Amino acid sequence: MPRFEQNLRIPGPTALPPSVMAAGGRQMINHRGPEFAALLERIVRRMRPFFGTTGDIVLLTAAGTGALEAAVVNVLSPGDRVLAVTVGAFGERFAKVAEVYGADVRRLAFAWGTAATPDAVRAALLEESAVRAVLLTHNETSTGVTNPVAELAATVREIAPDALILVDAISALGAVPFEMDAWGLDLVVTGSQKAWMSAPGMAFAAVAERAWAAMESARMPRFYFDLRRARESAATGQTPWTPAVAVMYQADEGLRLMEEETPAGVFARHAACAAATRAGLRALGFELLADPAHASQTVTAAWVPDDVDWKAFNGEAKRRGLVLAGGQGELKGRIFRVGHLGSVEVEEILGAIAVLEEAALRTGRAVTPGAAVAAAQRAALAELGAPVAAVAGGTPA
Amino acid sequence: MPRFEQNLRIPGPTALPPSVMAAGGRQMINHRGPEFAALLERIVRRMRPFFGTTGDIVLLTAAGTGALEAAVVNVLSPGDRVLAVTVGAFGERFAKVAEVYGADVRRLAFAWGTAATPDAVRAALLEESAVRAVLLTHNETSTGVTNPVAELAATVREIAPDALILVDAISALGAVPFEMDAWGLDLVVTGSQKAWMSAPGMAFAAVAERAWAAMESARMPRFYFDLRRARESAATGQTPWTPAVAVMYQADEGLRLMEEETPAGVFARHAACAAATRAGLRALGFELLADPAHASQTVTAAWVPDDVDWKAFNGEAKRRGLVLAGGQGELKGRIFRVGHLGSVEVEEILGAIAVLEEAALRTGRAVTPGAAVAAAQRAALAELGAPVAAVAGGTPA
């Protein structure tokens, strides 16, 4: 019996664990009352270790894109020079938001599938004077690449010490180690439907002192996404506008589960699922998009081979309950993506690889039955530090 | 046995019917797949009769305030002259949003508790030239007043035929008759947690042709709330950003229930609950804030009498599970509000009045036990057209 009706292998919304689902079915409460204040406090308190911050985290009722907009409009003024480091569709989106609100955006774009390099960021900052903010993507969902945010931030601090560092950490925060304070990041945003194992609808913005200070003089227009208003309300246990209460119930329960598993446990599980996904897909003959040195722990993108009829292949997967994501932007129709974040377990990845293996066989591709599943399982075990040789040989360790 | 743990008598979030609650506990789906497209289509189709429109309705993942911002920034440019008709805190908020984004806002403010009048709107429009948009509040949640939107809109069309009419219909749309197309409104917004019986998190914007046309030249910055992007995505059964899927499950179920009850049935139930609330509160000696000619069918505000210790009174209500709303803005601490919208039944209003009656007795007010509940019940029956004389006299009709 599968845990879920579908094997929802898209990079968010992610499948909800049973207790999180149940939390979404709870009755409403007064969002101006003490029960709500306690809920808000718990969510922020439990999120802080995953952000790696002791500072403020405010909640926004919005998709992640709303939080990207909040990051931009709260700390910048029209005309401000912004360096947008882009490695895919979401980096491009972040840059676009800044442009729409009148920032003077310089793009430092890397080939899709690669990560940003500190050297290139250094060169770009040396070339540009008076960069007010650097926009970074932590995990690029469109390509399955995780940027070396710590190194990139250190470079920014070295060359442009006063520049604000705004980070889109939507699709991996909570699933991998992250140290906002230690890395010197100023504003970091994420969304409920990713590693947090909840339904979509709430975004979270962690704000450091430098960013709060920047808001004093920032002149981009803002009302709904005004973070200072959110901080003011939070001081009385509220949000300025009516929040997505049921999503907060779910985030609260998801965080309880994550705390119980411990951050280290959550990270190890994601690493194992990611390793299994990559090994399984490679064993099926798929080429992966991401530079292996920067492959994401939460989403893996694979090229659709020229000889594969993607529609037939994906149709076969769907028929078996496996839901994959397609490509975005310039990669639409050319790649597919497998999400492995949130409540994901290695068994679900093995299930996905098994379905893809069968789909490959049925659509006439030359694969050895069982080989991809075995490769995925070995990779997961190796990642978890299990005695793989013994397992492979059938001899007890 | 009460249907709910609390008698949540605030003007949103409203208590969810059991099947709507259950819908919030469903598993996630791919928001780029056919199941989602069907969900989106059903919601829009079932909402149209309540908006009184055959036109477009787009979904936003946001609180109602986000939808107010969307209404403003999509159709206006900085410097545009705007007439903001305000009768309370939410009208003031709408005006403020327009100001923040650079509109040249003229306020036509009415005393809190009264409705806007066509004559005053006429005079204001005759005084101002080149008004690009008029901001109207349909139902002012802070005071419990419903504006005569049809008459106000007719006046705008007469004096300033080209002005856009933007309507905050957040807190009563779905609960009372509304005819967007017939009244010539250009952009109307509402929120999931009000009459729609769902959790908060989604807002809905109905957009008429004149408003779509205005977007071609409107220059206020917008990205997350870009309605044209939403329309473009809707054409393929999607939303531009990841939506609050679980809230959509609930809105879908809420609308199914509302369709089953029929719009006329929903409206009659709200009218009965409103009549019961007003009669019960008056029988308890509370003075109501709203001009009776424009009293809201979804929320009633009452003055806190000078001799009532509100904290003690409200504490007693809370202890009995009755959750009321306080005052907002200039009325904070001076009024309390009773919400009667969404899944509300007359029995719940009677329960609320009973608790208030007991609280009045316990806090030493001179009330006749049972009188307020009886008054509320009579008012509800009269509103529903029941044979009240017979009921009052105890004789079968």
Side-chain angles (χ1 to χ4, degrees), chain B residues 292-381:
Chain B
H294 298 284
S296 165
Q297 301 291 56
T298 60
V299 56
T300 298
W303 292 103
V304 176
D306 290 340
D307 62 340
V308 164
D309 175 351
W310 171 247
K311 228 174 147 180
F313 192 85
N314 192 37
E316 185 66 22
K318 268 191 190 162
R319 204 181 55 76
R320 294 281 305 270
L322 173 62
V323 182
L324 303 166
Q328 287 175 302
E330 59 187 60
L331 293 175
K332 199 165 177 157
R334 297 172 56 211
I335 61 161
F336 69 93
R337 293 172 300 149
V338 181
H340 33 85
L341 74 165
S343 71
V344 64
E345 298 285 351
V346 170
E347 299 88 284
E348 286 160 303
I349 299 302
L350 297 183
I353 297 297
V355 168
L356 291 177
E357 198 176 72
E358 194 179 323
L361 288 166
R362 280 183 193 272
T363 53
R365 288 180 65 75
V367 296
T368 311
V373 178
Q377 165 76 337
R378 277 195 302 273
L381 291 172

Side-chain angles (χ1 to χ4, degrees), chain A residues 11-368:
Chain A
T14 58
L16 312 176
S19 65
V20 172
M21 271 206 281
R26 291 221 303 266
Q27 188 51 280
M28 287 299 103
I29 53 173
N30 183 2
H31 62 301
R32 307 281 180 220
E35 202 180 336
F36 180 86
L39 172 69
L40 182 60
E41 187 276 328
R42 271 198 311 278
I43 289 173
V44 170
R45 174 163 45 80
R46 284 182 171 145
M47 271 199 165
R48 280 206 185 95
F50 289 97
F51 275 88
T53 186
T54 57
D56 296 301
I57 300 176
V58 296
L59 280 70
L60 303 168
T61 298
T65 299
L68 295 184
E69 187 161 315
V72 166
V73 301
N74 277 277
V75 300
L76 295 172
S77 300
D80 275 353
R81 187 159 297 168
V82 167
L83 179 68
V85 181
T86 73
V87 302
F90 286 91
E92 181 49 40
R93 184 180 292 180
F94 208 176
K96 186 79 189 165
V97 171
E99 268 174 357
V100 160
Y101 278 87
D104 176 16
V105 177
R106 312 295 164 98
R107 277 179 180 69
L108 175 61
F110 294 83
W112 289 34
T114 68
T117 65
D119 283 351
V121 168
R122 178 189 313 269
L125 287 172
L126 287 171
E127 205 169 280
E128 296 289 349
S129 63
V131 167
R132 179 67 183 135
V134 178
L135 310 185
L136 298 178
T137 312
H138 171 226
N139 184 72
E140 176 54 62
T141 320
S142 68
T143 61
V145 165
T146 302
N147 274 318
V149 169
E151 288 83 347
L152 299 174
T155 304
V156 175
R157 284 283 164 262
E158 180 198 335
I159 312 294
D162 295 332
L164 294 162
I165 305 177
L166 314 182
V167 182
D168 166 359
I170 294 171
S171 65
L173 190 60
V176 297
F178 197 94
E179 295 295 340
M180 175 177 177
D181 292 354
W183 299 346
L185 312 178
D186 298 305
L187 215 162
V188 177
V189 300
T190 184
S192 55
Q193 79 280 19
K194 303 291 186 179
W196 314 101
M197 308 197 287
S198 306
M202 291 301 295
F204 308 90
V207 186
E209 277 312 318
R210 189 199 303 255
W212 288 123
M215 293 179 210
E216 305 290 331
S217 57
R219 293 189 324 275
M220 283 186 184
R222 53 193 183 268
F223 189 88
Y224 183 70
F225 288 126
D226 188 330
L227 295 175
R228 288 193 293 176
R229 235 179 240 268
R231 177 168 67 167
E232 204 177 294
S233 291
T236 63
Q238 300 186 14
T239 55
W241 330 121
T242 312
V245 175
V247 180
M248 288 176 65
Y249 291 157
Q250 294 189 320
D252 183 37
E253 174 59 14
L255 283 160
R256 193 190 65 75
L257 295 174
M258 290 167 75
E259 190 177 78
E260 198 174 87
E261 187 178 3
T262 77
V266 172
F267 303 156
R269 179 167 53 77
H270 279 88
C273 289
T277 305
R278 292 189 291 259
L281 289 175
R282 273 196 302 256
L284 285 169
F286 291 109
E287 260 188 82
L288 305 186
L289 174 63
D291 172 358
H294 298 284
S296 165
Q297 301 291 54
T298 60
V299 57
T300 298
W303 292 103
V304 176
D306 289 340
D307 62 339
V308 163
D309 175 353
W310 171 247
K311 229 176 147 178
F313 192 86
N314 192 38
E316 185 64 20
K318 268 189 190 164
R319 205 182 54 77
R320 294 282 305 271
L322 173 62
V323 181
L324 302 166
Q328 288 176 300
E330 58 187 62
L331 293 175
K332 200 165 178 157
R334 297 173 57 212
I335 62 162
F336 67 94
R337 294 173 300 148
V338 181
H340 34 84
L341 75 165
S343 71
V344 65
E345 299 286 351
V346 169
E347 300 88 284
E348 287 160 302
I349 299 302
L350 297 182
I353 298 297
V355 168
L356 290 178
E357 199 176 72
E358 195 180 323
L361 288 166
R362 281 183 192 272
T363 51
R365 287 180 65 76
V367 297
T368 312

Side-chain angles (χ1 to χ4, degrees), chain A residues 3-6 8 10 12-17 21-32 34-35 61-67 69 93 96-97 100-101 193-194 198-202 221-225 229 240-247 250 318 323-325 328, chain B residues 3-6 8 10 12-17 21-32 34-35 61-67 69 93 96-97 100-101 193-194 198-202 221-225 229 240-247 250 318 323-325 328:
Chain A
R3 284 201 301 163
F4 305 127
E5 281 173 55
Q6 293 186 325
L8 190 63
I10 60 175
T14 58
L16 312 176
M21 271 206 281
R26 291 221 303 266
Q27 188 51 280
M28 287 299 103
I29 53 173
N30 183 2
H31 62 301
R32 307 281 180 220
E35 202 180 336
T61 298
T65 299
E69 187 161 315
R93 184 180 292 180
K96 186 79 189 165
V97 171
V100 160
Y101 278 87
Q193 79 280 19
K194 303 291 186 179
S198 306
M202 291 301 295
R222 53 193 183 268
F223 189 88
Y224 183 70
F225 288 126
R229 235 179 240 268
W241 330 121
T242 312
V245 175
V247 180
Q250 294 189 320
K318 268 189 190 164
V323 181
L324 302 166
Q328 288 176 300
Chain B
R3 283 200 301 163
F4 305 127
E5 281 173 54
Q6 293 186 325
L8 191 64
I10 61 175
T14 58
L16 312 176
M21 271 208 280
R26 291 221 305 265
Q27 188 51 281
M28 288 299 102
I29 53 172
N30 184 1
H31 62 302
R32 307 280 180 220
E35 202 180 336
T61 298
T65 300
E69 186 161 316
R93 183 179 294 180
K96 185 80 189 164
V97 171
V100 160
Y101 278 87
Q193 80 279 20
K194 304 291 186 180
S198 306
M202 292 299 296
R222 53 192 183 268
F223 190 88
Y224 183 70
F225 288 127
R229 236 177 240 268
W241 330 120
T242 312
V245 175
V247 181
Q250 295 190 320
K318 268 191 190 162
V323 182
L324 303 166
Q328 287 175 302

Side-chain angles (χ1 to χ4, degrees), chain B residues 169-183:
Chain B
I170 293 171
S171 64
L173 190 60
V176 296
F178 196 93
E179 295 295 341
M180 175 177 176
D181 291 354
W183 299 347

